[in-house]
Amino acid sequence: MRRRQVKDPEAILNPWQKSQERSQDESLTTRFEKNPRSSPAEDTFRAHRHGQRWVDYCGGWVALALYLVSLLFSVLVIRLAVSDGETLGDLLFPRLNGDAKTCRSDSTRVHIFTAPKPFIGVDRVNQLRALGSWLALCPKPNITFLGGGEGYEEVARLHGVRMETRVDTSFSGLPLFPSMLARANESRSAVVVLINSDIMLFNDFSMVLSKVEAEFDKFFMIGARWDVEDLPSSPEEDSYTFRNRVVIHARRTAQLHTFGGVDMWAWNTRKGPLFEGIMPRFSNGRGKYDNWFTHEAIHAGFRDVVDVSEAVSLVHVKHDHHLVSEVESTQNKAGFNRGYWSSGVHGKFELWINNYLANSHGTYHNQLGTILHAPYKITSCYENVPFCLTKRIRPNTCRCEYSPFVVESQTDPFVVSDSKSIFCGQEPASRGSDRYPGPHNLFNKAGSSVAPDGYPSMDELVGMLSSKNMIVVSAVTSSNRQTLKNFACNLQNLGISNYLLSALDDEVFIEAVLHGLAVYKDYSSEIQRKRSQISITGQTRGDCLWLASVASVLKTGHDVVYSDVRAHWIRNPLRSLEKIRGDLLLWSSAGANESANTGVGGRLMLFRSSPKVIRLIAHILSRNETEQRSCEMQLFEAVCGPEGENRVDADKCFLKSANISATFLPKNVFTNDGLLLTEEDGKLQPHDPFVHYNPRKTPPPQKRFLEVAAVYFDKSTGLCMHNGIRGGS
């Protein structure tokens, strides 16, 4: 029998297989419905088929999600490759990448130094905001407050900020800028930043700093501030989003300080000096010190000076200059109103002094040392990198220097009376008017002792210094200028700020003014007027110019501690002196029961302010013309008697007719040129004295010499040298 050939076996087998599968499924379903407790094998089979369906379903969604994530990531990469910045029209702003809260501090990286104003009022608000922006930098820098003032310790403790009190100050309490610079240069961090205390920083600073480090081996970054009227409101001022908003707000509305001062300097350490010579004793925050510093660094050529003002957002909220402005309705003796920012540099004496120092030291001339003088400049740009480095072939050739990233600057041109006369590079406050020409003359004529315009009188100085009812006074001639500076450094180190100097000649008066000391020339008494023109070598022992100075201060109602500048104050003796009773406290190597000829000296004395003491001094001054004895001996005789007949006990005298008592200072704590010393590890150790006095110009023999750790004036730096050893000269 012939078999029929099947052309398509699959067509026959598939329906049969499907029917068989349906039969098996129906059979299983029927069995499951009749007997729900199916066997383990059947349960496993069913679970496997159900799970497979879920895997297939979820896998599709996961694949879609991964695709979307990869697509988003690609878009971000492309965006960053095109521009690493926020857009505002055609402008690009550096992106503040990363939240600095996640950063770790790196003490070897960046160290910020600043000298804040007292943390009160609007200054507290502005400075705390700036401090918060520094702490948000990535990596977190070290921060040090230079000097001391109200709120320093509280803020430093709360925010982990260091304090450096070894900073020279003027008598009005202002930190001296060269001393601030010296402390900053002691940092061991790779980069040091010196910045004004109310300038906000953002991570574009860190980004620009990295670029500068990569481009230059020895660099000196300078930057001017962006002035804004206010900041965008936000309940979350610490947030990363808000910091970005502040930068964009500043770029939209702020004015760049191209003409004025410099607010930030940064340089890499251990790369040599910044400039040549010694920086004058500028008062911080009183003008010209910043331009002088910047110009001298450019002129010296030791570092590559880079202007980063347009690339770094140094945001500053505008405020009044209440610490340098004293707008008064009356004019001073020179005819100038004392409001600095409204009428020029004729109001505050610190501004006068800074201006004089700047124009009389180094190579600086007025209006040099701005950011436009820097040879190199970094700005935002349109390239694939956020910042571009350019070099000025002729720095400051044109004061109108434009950038597409600066909405407004101080050096924008302006039109006078709608004409075509365009002025460029003028100060905004004096547009169209003449500037004060040339180096400012601090004193009216060479050698004149007339004080700078606005300099306080003696009465005003006493009012500024008298935190307590006691003033420390010295009377000095130019022959003791170096010793005077040692003494002033010594008192400052002990925290004694109520020090007033009576200058006995014009030379020491001028030098003391420039040094930052409270100094005056007093011609109120006839004796001082006559003796003022006599040189120190021509004066007789009877001259009592120092006692006339004491009398002048006593008349203000303050007690006077008079000290020879050759004395070394080992500890602060003022509190102990206040506790000793007596109208006069005198120093002598002799006791009250000995003759005055045995050694009364004007090394250290205290005069209580009272009419009877002032009358006693006036009596001594009235007969000074014919006296050959020193004023110290005359004081001794006036109270204790020529032979000590008015003594009460070994250390006290009482003049009954005038009701004046005199007490002699304990000789074991107020010593002459020697003290009982003990040998310990080969070094001489003092016995806890207050004051040591040594009038010799050369150190005495080692066994009789009191050697103490001290603060003295270093002529090589023009600053107080801390932790040094000073002898008795």
Side-chain angles (χ1 to χ4, degrees), residues 255 259-260 340-346 366-367 410 412 414 416 423-437:
Q255 182 190 69
F259 183 91
Y340 170 66
W341 298 109
S342 62
S343 61
V345 286
H346 307 293
N366 204 34
Q367 304 305 334
Q410 282 186 315
D412 286 348
F414 60 96
V416 176
F423 290 81
C424 187
Q426 302 284 335
E427 289 180 280
S430 60
R431 286 185 171 181
S433 63
D434 294 332
R435 296 195 212 105
Y436 193 73

Side-chain angles (χ1 to χ4, degrees), residues 291-477:
N291 301 121
W292 188 97
F293 182 32
T294 301
H295 168 75
E296 293 300 321
I298 295 173
H299 183 267
F302 298 146
R303 303 291 185 103
D304 293 308
V305 182
V306 188
D307 169 24
V308 299
S309 303
E310 293 183 12
V312 176
S313 307
L314 302 172
V315 178
H316 173 263
V317 180
K318 288 184 179 180
H319 56 80
D320 68 323
H321 297 85
H322 55 279
L323 295 181
V324 295
S325 254
E326 287 184 359
V327 179
E328 297 178 354
S329 58
T330 59
Q331 292 181 331
N332 55 27
K333 60 185 178 183
F336 300 116
N337 186 285
R338 295 183 69 181
Y340 170 66
W341 298 109
S342 62
S343 61
V345 286
H346 307 293
K348 271 287 192 177
F349 65 91
E350 296 104 333
L351 300 169
W352 266 101
I353 293 171
N354 272 14
N355 206 26
Y356 177 85
L357 290 173
N359 285 285
S360 58
H361 290 76
T363 60
Y364 174 84
H365 296 287
N366 204 34
Q367 304 305 334
L368 296 179
T370 70
I371 59 174
L372 301 181
H373 291 84
Y376 294 94
K377 173 183 176 180
I378 290 184
T379 185
S380 303
C381 57
Y382 291 107
E383 300 177 10
N384 292 337
V385 292
F387 306 109
C388 293
L389 172 66
T390 58
K391 183 175 182 179
R392 296 176 173 126
I393 302 300
R394 294 185 297 164
N396 199 50
T397 301
C398 178
R399 303 303 292 272
C400 303
E401 184 165 330
Y402 286 104
S403 168
F405 308 104
V406 176
V407 175
E408 181 184 2
S409 75
Q410 282 186 315
T411 51
D412 286 348
F414 60 96
V415 178
V416 176
S417 301
D418 298 324
S419 70
K420 295 182 180 180
S421 300
I422 298 178
F423 290 81
C424 187
Q426 302 284 335
E427 289 180 280
S430 60
R431 286 185 171 181
S433 63
D434 294 332
R435 296 195 212 105
Y436 193 73
H440 297 278
N441 188 12
L442 180 64
F443 302 97
N444 289 354
K445 58 183 179 179
S448 171
S449 61
V450 177
D453 179 50
Y455 194 83
S457 65
M458 188 204 71
D459 289 338
E460 291 173 328
L461 289 171
V462 170
M464 296 172 66
L465 298 174
S466 58
S467 57
K468 295 184 178 180
N469 189 35
M470 183 178 290
I471 301 293
V472 180
V473 176
S474 296
V476 179
T477 64

